[in-house]
Amino acid sequence: MIRLRLSIGLDYQVYDPGCDFIFNIHAAQTDRQRVLEETLTLNQNVPTQVETDAVTLNRYLRLSAAPGPLSLRYSAVVELAHHVATPTQIGEVPVPQLPAQVLSYIYPSRYCQSDRLLKLAMREFGQQWQGYARVQGIRDWVQQRVAFTQNTSNTNTSAIDTLIDSVGVCRDFAHLMIALCRAVNVPARFTTGIDYGADPALGPTDFHAYVEAYLGGRWYLFDPSGTAIPMGFVRFGTGRDAADVSFATIFGTVGSASPRITIEAIPGADGQLVTPRHSSDALSTDG
Amino acid sequence: MIRLRLSIGLDYQVYDPGCDFIFNIHAAQTDRQRVLEETLTLNQNVPTQVETDAVTLNRYLRLSAAPGPLSLRYSAVVELAHHVATPTQIGEVPVPQLPAQVLSYIYPSRYCQSDRLLKLAMREFGQQWQGYARVQGIRDWVQQRVAFTQNTSNTNTSAIDTLIDSVGVCRDFAHLMIALCRAVNVPARFTTGIDYGADPALGPTDFHAYVEAYLGGRWYLFDPSGTAIPMGFVRFGTGRDAADVSFATIFGTVGSASPRITIEAIPGADGQLVTPRHSSDALSTDG
Amino acid sequence: MIRLRLSIGLDYQVYDPGCDFIFNIHAAQTDRQRVLEETLTLNQNVPTQVETDAVTLNRYLRLSAAPGPLSLRYSAVVELAHHVATPTQIGEVPVPQLPAQVLSYIYPSRYCQSDRLLKLAMREFGQQWQGYARVQGIRDWVQQRVAFTQNTSNTNTSAIDTLIDSVGVCRDFAHLMIALCRAVNVPARFTTGIDYGADPALGPTDFHAYVEAYLGGRWYLFDPSGTAIPMGFVRFGTGRDAADVSFATIFGTVGSASPRITIEAIPGADGQLVTPRHSSDALSTDG
Amino acid sequence: MIRLRLSIGLDYQVYDPGCDFIFNIHAAQTDRQRVLEETLTLNQNVPTQVETDAVTLNRYLRLSAAPGPLSLRYSAVVELAHHVATPTQIGEVPVPQLPAQVLSYIYPSRYCQSDRLLKLAMREFGQQWQGYARVQGIRDWVQQRVAFTQNTSNTNTSAIDTLIDSVGVCRDFAHLMIALCRAVNVPARFTTGIDYGADPALGPTDFHAYVEAYLGGRWYLFDPSGTAIPMGFVRFGTGRDAADVSFATIFGTVGSASPRITIEAIPGADGQLVTPRHSSDALSTDG
């Protein structure tokens, strides 16, 4: 089992009185992602509220801040007990057997216009074996066609833009992979965490966006940008696409600094240090 | 109380073996929309399954059809006990007080790119009183700028297209109104039903798309296309936009005929016939 | 030399008084496309004017029609003396040597957003020999990725839409090929004619859109939709894209019928009948 | 008559051998914009070529630079003898009377998708008197709906984006105004110059983009961003939109610094200093 210690520091300058924030920076709690300890500290003395969405398990921190500086620090120790499976044994779930609550993840969303990619996806992936390998094929296809470049996309950039422009950041890779999965009826969702294991040359440790695809009755992890190590992903939020799971949704005018994020592997209960590593196994931390 | 009898006939020619269908043609069951009786008949002897989504209360009929003709007929008697309120007394719900399960309805979705309309919406509606009247103002703004014309839009048409092209059908009016509501932080959702009271000149009775906006702690009905009578709306499905609530999602190759739909007011338990009419009250059938 | 007899019949019902038309249905006159005879007949007794654009050689017929039926019939005999060259001997023209009047054909236009395809085009075609074969490679790439299907696109459909949707008609194939050529700095223009040699299964003889690319100092013919025989193309108009060369631009409200078009090879001055055929040579009818 | 002295300094770091440049920084020479003197200096000893496009009168400077620093300095003295007319006496030119070479300016282009704005433009401007005042009305409409904000748009931003996003810089204002003019059949083109008279708070003197509309047989100046003084505009280039008239089109990899631009009114031949000022007259420097 992998044990990770992480911290997130966020700093804002609030200009409007009663500026509302919705944060999604708490580690999700699942059977396979246990939050052993966590602390939230805040420089302002305002009431906070943490709600857990019953369907996604996303945990939302809501608060109204006063004008002036707002600083949050969230830190946690999380233990991951991955479900590990052999890719060749994981098939897709035929549409009639998809659970109702999974169905919406084959429908198009703001940034993942899968409805427009049906023919393209059928041409590229229609003949492949319908299982984990096909989704891996989609991940690789995206990775080969998109160049990872900072500051090439914005909040309006969608999967279709990324396919055309052939450039983007982790969020854009995720959107394109999700759109292509849905176009071949594989449920796929947008997931946020920390870019564990990312090359320091890409910049300081940051939030990360990756993909979970529903295969063999379970949500498996994929990292289409190829910039991090999936085994070290701690899930914060999951949703249809980036529209649903911003780490901070802000209603009002604020200035903001870059987030300060750390994540490290630490020894488990048995004193053993297990470090996340690239693996050819299929991994899931959901259910 | 209004009592309505409705029927929906759908006819397909199925070309692929094992073609999967997900229908959303069952009337939703809420405290204020009671289904007194309903029947589903099918010409094929295949297993069917009706599931109710716990969050939206949408009822999905799923089946796999055999090649050849597939005919469904759904008929129901539904009683509506509207929540009726005075528009001037209904305020908006400030973001911090929005329930978690309502929050996603202020985020952008496939066809309602509210994120791009923030400045436009602020310019047009930012100075108005924050309540039912502002949402009505949005509805009227849309109605004045978009011309109802058949065959001017397709499944790719979004709120932004409708704003630019200034033409569309009920679904397009709904998408644009929803996007503008969300842009001023009013939760809004896409709802489907039957175009009760539509002018026969617009064609035979058909499925209809309209809007529910969350105001004063409740989802109120709005009909931005102005083609039907909200008091006669029987809700089938509700979702982020048309991507979530197609009346039929089909996985396979089929031919299809126009749906045959009827709806009429019938006398209630007390023998009284109450006919839906245009009203200046605020109406809700949700919760 | 190839001699072709062609006729175009157009029928409108004019609803507005003084409805203006600009037609581009006259065969262009170049050194290699000689118009031996031509006739224009019109059912309305209104003045007509034919202007030739000095740069493109497009010939525009302008008229203002009276309410009621408007019928035009244009017929011509055209002789083609193709410039014929060997593909392997035709290189691209480096940007510094491109004539000023050719330069605008490497810039993006309404339906050919080459500026967005730079990275994609560089990835797919950047390593190839810079000559006729690369342009052929672009033509083939488009042909393999787009399915020819009637009624899948409209007047708003651009090269980017076609790349995403993977479906279209001749005009869409042309736009995508043009955008990709421009993205690698090969001047390319949209050309209209008649679909000589098209499979009757695609429908009656119709207007056609194809591509001319500027290579080795000359505009060569390419047919990205692969539906017709380039050796039989009679050029009407050429421009940046379909925005410039509609066969009919109409200012007013009219009803219209399908055009009636014929084209056939006839014997030349020497009594010999030369029939256009598919050829692996590079062909040009410009200058 | 207004006499202006202007200078443009451009600095690049060229990384690729044989990097090609096409500059459009020479003042156009028209009957009403006379270039009294001009100098071009270059730090690299490479051949240069200045070509004048016969149709637009744009003057293109072409050169291939060697790796290392490339510095250009263009300076000129230009005399403007405006055609001045009374707005109320300037009508639109009916389509049948538009000269052939003006026609393409009513067609849509890369950034001015007028074809999609027909209904919107007809709704907003269809009932107005067809003359200079209607075009002024379009200019004002754009100015009221778009906020001038630096760094809100990019090279992909089109008129439709600007209409939706309601924000942009001078180029975006120009594109939207052009698209709306074309939608009501008024020829309009994109013109570049220097932002004479711009508020220093908007930053140092810079290149400017504005609009020329064809009215009463002549191209009149309009400044939809409202940031500068049209009477002081020295025209460099004109085209369908920004795709045609970049001040620098670069084929290769370079670094670049901000342009250094100056412009000032100087005394004329008679020793009189005439300073450009805001005016309610209609002004033209074309022909």
Side-chain angles (χ1 to χ4, degrees):
Chain A
M1 281 198 299
I2 287 168
R3 196 173 278 200
L4 298 164
R5 182 193 303 280
L6 60 96
S7 72
I8 297 169
L10 300 175
D11 297 288
Y12 299 94
Q13 191 65 32
V14 176
Y15 300 124
D16 293 343
C19 179
D20 300 312
F21 290 81
I22 303 175
F23 293 102
N24 177 214
I25 54 169
H26 284 67
Q29 292 167 313
T30 75
D31 287 351
R32 298 185 168 278
Q33 176 175 300
R34 291 174 49 224
V35 178
L36 304 184
E37 47 182 89
E38 63 181 357
T39 337
L40 177 75
T41 57
L42 212 66
N43 73 324
Q44 293 198 5
N45 187 19
V46 293
T48 62
Q49 188 187 352
V50 179
E51 293 173 317
T52 302
D53 183 87
V55 176
T56 59
L57 305 185
N58 294 351
R59 296 164 71 201
Y60 296 109
L61 165 66
R62 298 168 71 165
L63 59 88
S64 288
L70 173 71
S71 290
L72 284 84
R73 187 167 192 281
Y74 171 79
S75 60
V77 173
V78 176
E79 198 165 69
L80 301 175
H82 292 95
H83 173 83
V84 179
T86 303
T88 51
Q89 294 174 358
I90 306 172
E92 297 176 14
V93 180
V95 167
Q97 278 130 54
L98 285 176
Q101 76 273 22
V102 169
L103 259 184
S104 71
Y105 295 100
I106 60 169
Y107 296 145
S109 60
R110 171 66 179 91
Y111 298 110
C112 305
Q113 308 99 322
S114 48
D115 53 302
R116 295 199 61 192
L117 296 173
L118 299 185
K119 288 192 180 62
L120 187 153
M122 192 50 62
R123 182 186 78 219
E124 298 286 338
F125 311 111
Q127 305 311 315
Q128 299 178 21
W129 177 69
Q130 299 189 2
Y132 187 96
R134 176 153 87 155
V135 175
Q136 239 173 350
I138 293 174
R139 182 200 63 191
D140 294 345
W141 192 94
V142 169
Q143 213 167 104
Q144 285 155 17
R145 275 162 187 76
V146 181
F148 190 100
T149 316
Q150 298 286 359
N151 302 316
T152 51
S153 58
N154 57 40
T155 57
N156 185 32
T157 306
S158 72
I160 281 179
D161 295 316
T162 302
L163 184 49
I164 292 295
D165 298 334
S166 302
V167 71
V169 295
C170 58
R171 154 199 159 107
D172 306 305
F173 284 79
H175 284 155
L176 180 51
M177 179 176 170
I178 290 168
L180 290 167
C181 287
R182 291 180 188 167
V184 293
N185 294 327
V186 172
R189 65 190 192 185
F190 185 88
T191 311
T192 57
I194 292 176
D195 61 354
Y196 183 94
D199 183 347
L202 293 174
T205 302
D206 202 353
F207 289 108
H208 191 52
Y210 53 95
V211 175
E212 291 183 336
Y214 191 81
L215 293 161
R218 199 179 283 271
W219 291 100
Y220 286 96
L221 302 171
F222 291 88
D223 185 34
S225 68
T227 51
I229 301 175
M231 198 185 283
F233 289 171
V234 173
R235 177 173 123 202
F236 296 145
T238 191
R240 299 274 288 262
D241 60 25
D244 287 358
V245 283
S246 184
F247 75 86
T249 307
I250 304 172
F251 303 86
T253 310
V254 304
S256 60
S258 296
R260 292 163 290 107
I261 297 179
T262 66
I263 186 165
E264 57 174 335
I266 59 173
D270 57 2
Q272 291 286 97
L273 174 68
V274 185
T275 305
R277 57 174 211 289
H278 283 290
S279 157
S280 59
D281 290 328
L283 300 177
S284 172
T285 56
D286 186 82
Chain B
M1 280 196 300
I2 286 167
R3 194 174 280 200
L4 298 164
R5 181 193 303 280
L6 61 96
S7 71
I8 298 168
L10 299 175
D11 297 286
Y12 299 94
Q13 191 65 33
V14 177
Y15 300 125
D16 293 342
C19 180
D20 299 312
F21 291 80
I22 304 175
F23 293 101
N24 176 213
I25 53 170
H26 283 68
Q29 291 167 314
T30 75
D31 286 352
R32 297 184 170 279
Q33 178 175 296
R34 290 174 49 224
V35 179
L36 303 184
E37 48 181 88
E38 63 181 358
T39 336
L40 177 76
T41 56
L42 211 69
N43 74 324
Q44 292 199 4
N45 187 20
V46 292
T48 62
Q49 189 187 351
V50 178
E51 292 172 318
T52 302
D53 183 87
V55 177
T56 59
L57 303 186
N58 295 351
R59 296 164 70 202
Y60 295 109
L61 165 66
R62 299 168 71 165
L63 60 87
S64 287
L70 172 71
S71 292
L72 284 85
R73 188 167 190 280
Y74 171 80
S75 59
V77 173
V78 175
E79 198 165 68
L80 301 175
H82 292 94
H83 172 84
V84 179
T86 304
T88 51
Q89 296 174 355
I90 307 173
E92 297 177 13
V93 180
V95 167
Q97 278 131 54
L98 285 176
Q101 76 274 22
V102 170
L103 260 183
S104 71
Y105 294 100
I106 60 169
Y107 296 146
S109 61
R110 170 66 179 91
Y111 298 110
C112 305
Q113 308 100 322
S114 48
D115 53 303
R116 295 199 61 192
L117 297 173
L118 299 185
K119 288 192 180 63
L120 188 153
M122 192 51 61
R123 182 185 77 219
E124 299 285 340
F125 312 111
Q127 306 311 314
Q128 299 178 22
W129 176 68
Q130 300 190 2
Y132 188 94
R134 176 152 88 155
V135 175
Q136 238 172 352
I138 293 174
R139 181 201 62 189
D140 294 345
W141 193 94
V142 169
Q143 214 167 105
Q144 284 155 16
R145 276 163 185 75
V146 181
F148 190 100
T149 316
Q150 298 286 358
N151 301 315
T152 51
S153 59
N154 57 41
T155 57
N156 185 32
T157 305
S158 71
I160 282 179
D161 294 316
T162 302
L163 184 49
I164 293 294
D165 299 335
S166 302
V167 72
V169 295
C170 58
R171 153 200 160 107
D172 305 305
F173 284 79
H175 284 155
L176 180 51
M177 179 178 170
I178 291 168
L180 290 167
C181 287
R182 292 180 188 168
V184 292
N185 294 326
V186 172
R189 64 190 192 188
F190 185 89
T191 311
T192 58
I194 292 176
D195 62 354
Y196 182 94
D199 182 348
L202 294 174
T205 304
D206 202 354
F207 290 107
H208 192 50
Y210 54 96
V211 174
E212 291 184 336
Y214 191 81
L215 292 161
R218 200 179 284 273
W219 291 100
Y220 285 96
L221 300 172
F222 292 88
D223 185 35
S225 68
T227 50
I229 300 175
M231 199 184 285
F233 290 171
V234 173
R235 177 172 122 203
F236 297 146
T238 191
R240 300 272 288 263
D241 60 26
D244 286 0
V245 283
S246 183
F247 75 85
T249 308
I250 305 172
F251 302 85
T253 311
V254 306
S256 61
S258 295
R260 291 163 290 108
I261 298 180
T262 66
I263 184 163
E264 57 174 336
I266 58 172
D270 57 1
Q272 292 285 97
L273 174 68
V274 185
T275 305
R277 58 175 209 287
H278 284 289
S279 156
S280 60
D281 291 327
L283 300 177
S284 171
T285 56
D286 185 82
Chain C
M1 281 198 301
I2 287 167
R3 195 173 279 198
L4 299 163
R5 181 193 304 279
L6 60 96
S7 72
I8 298 169
L10 299 175
D11 297 289
Y12 299 95
Q13 191 65 33
V14 177
Y15 301 124
D16 292 344
C19 180
D20 300 311
F21 290 80
I22 304 174
F23 293 103
N24 177 213
I25 55 169
H26 283 69
Q29 292 168 313
T30 76
D31 287 351
R32 298 185 169 280
Q33 178 174 299
R34 291 174 49 224
V35 178
L36 303 184
E37 48 181 87
E38 62 181 359
T39 336
L40 177 75
T41 56
L42 212 68
N43 73 325
Q44 292 199 4
N45 186 20
V46 293
T48 62
Q49 188 188 352
V50 179
E51 293 173 317
T52 301
D53 182 87
V55 176
T56 59
L57 305 185
N58 294 352
R59 296 165 70 201
Y60 295 109
L61 165 66
R62 297 167 71 165
L63 59 87
S64 288
L70 172 71
S71 291
L72 283 85
R73 188 168 191 279
Y74 171 80
S75 59
V77 173
V78 176
E79 198 165 69
L80 301 174
H82 292 95
H83 172 83
V84 179
T86 304
T88 52
Q89 295 175 356
I90 306 173
E92 298 176 14
V93 180
V95 166
Q97 279 129 55
L98 285 177
Q101 76 273 23
V102 170
L103 260 185
S104 71
Y105 294 100
I106 60 169
Y107 296 146
S109 61
R110 170 66 179 90
Y111 299 110
C112 305
Q113 309 101 321
S114 48
D115 53 302
R116 296 198 61 191
L117 296 172
L118 299 185
K119 288 192 180 62
L120 187 153
M122 193 50 62
R123 181 185 78 218
E124 298 286 339
F125 310 112
Q127 306 310 315
Q128 298 179 22
W129 175 68
Q130 299 190 2
Y132 187 95
R134 177 154 86 156
V135 175
Q136 240 173 350
I138 293 174
R139 182 200 62 189
D140 295 345
W141 192 94
V142 170
Q143 214 168 104
Q144 285 154 18
R145 275 162 187 75
V146 182
F148 190 100
T149 315
Q150 298 287 358
N151 302 317
T152 51
S153 58
N154 57 41
T155 57
N156 184 33
T157 306
S158 72
I160 281 179
D161 294 316
T162 302
L163 184 49
I164 293 295
D165 298 336
S166 302
V167 71
V169 296
C170 59
R171 153 200 162 107
D172 305 305
F173 283 81
H175 283 155
L176 179 52
M177 180 177 168
I178 290 168
L180 290 167
C181 287
R182 292 180 187 167
V184 293
N185 294 327
V186 172
R189 65 190 193 186
F190 185 88
T191 311
T192 58
I194 292 175
D195 61 355
Y196 182 94
D199 182 348
L202 294 174
T205 303
D206 202 353
F207 289 108
H208 191 51
Y210 53 96
V211 175
E212 291 184 336
Y214 192 80
L215 292 162
R218 200 178 284 273
W219 290 100
Y220 285 96
L221 301 171
F222 292 88
D223 185 35
S225 68
T227 50
I229 301 176
M231 199 184 283
F233 289 171
V234 173
R235 177 173 121 201
F236 296 146
T238 190
R240 300 272 288 263
D241 60 26
D244 287 359
V245 284
S246 183
F247 75 87
T249 307
I250 305 170
F251 303 86
T253 311
V254 305
S256 62
S258 295
R260 292 162 289 106
I261 298 179
T262 66
I263 185 164
E264 57 173 336
I266 59 172
D270 57 2
Q272 291 285 96
L273 174 68
V274 185
T275 304
R277 58 174 210 290
H278 284 289
S279 157
S280 60
D281 290 328
L283 301 177
S284 172
T285 56
D286 185 81
Chain D
M1 280 196 300
I2 286 169
R3 195 172 280 199
L4 298 164
R5 182 193 303 280
L6 61 97
S7 73
I8 298 168
L10 300 174
D11 297 286
Y12 299 94
Q13 192 64 33
V14 177
Y15 300 124
D16 292 343
C19 180
D20 299 312
F21 290 80
I22 303 174
F23 293 102
N24 176 213
I25 55 170
H26 283 68
Q29 292 167 315
T30 76
D31 287 351
R32 298 185 169 278
Q33 177 174 298
R34 291 175 48 224
V35 179
L36 303 184
E37 46 181 88
E38 63 181 355
T39 338
L40 178 75
T41 56
L42 212 68
N43 74 325
Q44 292 199 6
N45 186 19
V46 294
T48 61
Q49 189 187 351
V50 178
E51 293 173 317
T52 302
D53 183 86
V55 176
T56 58
L57 305 185
N58 295 351
R59 296 164 71 203
Y60 295 110
L61 165 66
R62 297 168 71 166
L63 59 88
S64 287
L70 173 71
S71 290
L72 283 87
R73 187 168 192 281
Y74 172 80
S75 60
V77 173
V78 176
E79 199 165 69
L80 301 174
H82 292 95
H83 173 84
V84 179
T86 304
T88 52
Q89 295 174 358
I90 307 172
E92 297 177 14
V93 180
V95 167
Q97 279 131 54
L98 285 176
Q101 76 274 21
V102 170
L103 259 184
S104 71
Y105 294 100
I106 59 169
Y107 297 146
S109 61
R110 170 67 179 91
Y111 298 111
C112 306
Q113 307 100 322
S114 48
D115 53 302
R116 295 198 62 190
L117 297 172
L118 300 185
K119 287 192 181 62
L120 187 153
M122 192 51 60
R123 182 185 77 218
E124 298 286 340
F125 312 111
Q127 305 311 315
Q128 300 178 21
W129 176 68
Q130 300 191 3
Y132 188 95
R134 176 154 85 156
V135 175
Q136 240 173 350
I138 293 174
R139 182 201 60 189
D140 295 345
W141 193 94
V142 169
Q143 213 168 105
Q144 285 155 16
R145 276 163 185 75
V146 182
F148 190 99
T149 316
Q150 298 286 358
N151 302 314
T152 51
S153 59
N154 57 40
T155 57
N156 184 34
T157 306
S158 72
I160 281 178
D161 294 316
T162 302
L163 184 49
I164 293 295
D165 298 335
S166 301
V167 73
V169 295
C170 58
R171 154 200 160 107
D172 306 305
F173 284 80
H175 283 155
L176 180 52
M177 178 177 170
I178 292 169
L180 290 168
C181 287
R182 293 180 187 168
V184 292
N185 293 327
V186 172
R189 63 189 193 187
F190 186 89
T191 312
T192 58
I194 292 176
D195 62 354
Y196 182 93
D199 182 347
L202 293 174
T205 303
D206 202 354
F207 290 108
H208 191 52
Y210 53 98
V211 174
E212 291 184 337
Y214 192 81
L215 292 162
R218 200 179 283 273
W219 291 100
Y220 286 96
L221 301 171
F222 292 89
D223 185 35
S225 68
T227 51
I229 301 175
M231 199 185 284
F233 289 171
V234 173
R235 177 173 121 203
F236 296 146
T238 192
R240 302 272 287 263
D241 61 26
D244 285 0
V245 285
S246 185
F247 74 86
T249 308
I250 304 172
F251 302 85
T253 311
V254 306
S256 61
S258 295
R260 290 163 291 108
I261 298 179
T262 66
I263 185 163
E264 57 175 335
I266 58 173
D270 56 2
Q272 291 285 97
L273 175 67
V274 185
T275 305
R277 58 174 210 289
H278 284 289
S279 156
S280 60
D281 290 329
L283 301 176
S284 171
T285 56
D286 186 82

